[in-house]
Amino acid sequence: MAMFRSLVASAQQRQHPQPAGAPASAPQPPAGPGAGGESGLEAQYSCPICLEVYHRPVAIGSCGHTFCGECLQPCLQVPSPLCPLCRMPFDPKKVEKASNVEKQLSSYKAPCRGCSKKVTLAKMRSHISSCMKVQEQMANCPKFVPVVPTSQPIPSNIPNRSTFICPYCGARNLDQQELVKHCMENHRNDPNRVVCPVCSAMPWGDPSYKSANFLQHLLHRHKFSYDTFVDYNIDEEAAFQAALALSLSEN
């Protein structure tokens, strides 16, 4: 989480929000070595989502933030999109091709992070994908190891219980609180019976069970995060017995 905040902070330094209605402006190149020079160009022209040099960049009209066109696509699929960087609401119809940024990508060169060869930013992605030095660096990256040595196998197929998809409209990447807020604001009067994405993600969940009143179910059953209270490694009966034993010991 700290790394994510750091990345967002650095991206916000590169892209300054503009007042609503103001035209989106392209990021300006560094003034010289003191402002980062060539070594800072790649970072300045990197998408805040994929952290790679922009590919077919687009700009949001209301805040001026720029992203790869493909990276921004998921945000355009929801009813009330928010800027991934500043969370400001925006009109999908006012997302425009960042022509100025594209011109600058073709004009400026920066050294490859592996072989140090100067490459135009527009060609940086394809160069990095074939640069042997970069591939060696990636191969030599340290592998994940537990902080505390353990003989337990590291799971590779942990289900996602942190973010959910709205069962009504398919909006993605909503945490539990955002899911409740989203459904209350956008689907309060939707009569359809739907499967609760939170329950179906749990080990005991039934992915085929549809709630008769999903909003009431959300408000009553999901006021807290299961991660705080649930041990996913034991079944429901064992969890019940553990809770009962804890309750008796406290009394």
Side-chain angles (χ1 to χ4, degrees):
M1 182 61 73
M3 181 179 291
F4 174 79
R5 290 173 179 164
S6 174
L7 291 172
V8 170
S10 63
Q12 287 175 325
Q13 290 176 358
R14 299 197 308 269
Q15 302 188 35
H16 301 290
Q18 299 178 351
S25 62
Q28 297 300 314
E38 291 178 342
S39 61
L41 275 173
E42 184 179 350
Q44 182 178 348
Y45 287 92
S46 292
C47 170
I49 296 178
C50 67
L51 304 180
E52 296 288 346
V53 173
Y54 291 123
H55 177 62
R56 297 178 181 174
V58 295
I60 296 175
S62 57
C63 63
H65 287 137
T66 306
F67 305 91
C68 297
E70 186 176 349
C71 291
L72 191 62
Q73 272 302 311
C75 297
L76 304 180
Q77 308 304 317
V78 299
S80 302
L82 303 176
C83 171
L85 197 58
C86 66
R87 310 301 292 171
M88 178 185 291
F90 68 90
D91 183 351
K93 296 179 181 179
K94 295 184 178 179
V95 174
E96 300 178 350
K97 181 179 178 181
S99 301
N100 289 340
V101 176
E102 276 199 317
K103 290 179 181 178
Q104 292 169 354
L105 291 175
S106 299
S107 300
Y108 296 113
K109 291 186 176 183
C112 167
R113 70 188 72 160
C115 65
S116 300
K117 177 184 177 180
K118 288 186 178 180
V119 183
T120 56
L121 294 175
K123 297 180 179 180
M124 186 63 77
R125 282 192 180 218
S126 59
H127 172 80
I128 286 177
S129 66
S130 60
C131 176
M132 294 304 297
K133 289 287 187 181
V134 173
Q135 300 307 315
E136 289 175 7
Q137 291 173 359
M138 295 175 64
N140 292 328
C141 286
K143 305 298 182 182
F144 169 78
V145 293
V147 176
V148 178
T150 176
S151 59
Q152 296 294 322
I154 300 172
S156 58
N157 58 343
I158 300 175
N160 178 14
R161 299 189 179 105
S162 301
T163 58
F164 308 97
I165 299 175
C166 172
Y168 290 115
C169 67
R172 295 176 174 272
N173 299 321
L174 302 169
D175 64 23
Q176 196 165 296
Q177 291 181 339
E178 289 172 340
L179 177 65
V180 174
K181 183 175 183 290
H182 168 82
C183 289
M184 291 298 293
E185 291 179 351
N186 298 284
H187 307 293
R188 182 184 291 271
N189 299 317
D190 195 319
N192 292 320
R193 294 165 63 96
V194 294
V195 175
C196 173
V198 181
C199 289
S200 62
M202 300 301 140
W204 57 85
D206 182 354
S208 63
Y209 178 78
K210 295 184 177 181
S211 302
N213 190 328
F214 178 60
L215 291 182
Q216 288 299 317
H217 169 83
L218 273 182
L219 294 172
H220 289 108
R221 288 292 302 273
H222 300 303
K223 291 183 178 180
F224 64 90
S225 172
Y226 279 116
D227 289 343
T228 308
F229 302 97
V230 175
D231 182 351
Y232 296 117
N233 296 317
I234 59 177
D235 60 27
E236 189 172 9
E237 178 62 24
F240 173 76
Q241 293 297 333
L244 181 61
L246 179 61
S247 176
L248 292 173
S249 66
E250 290 179 346
N251 292 331

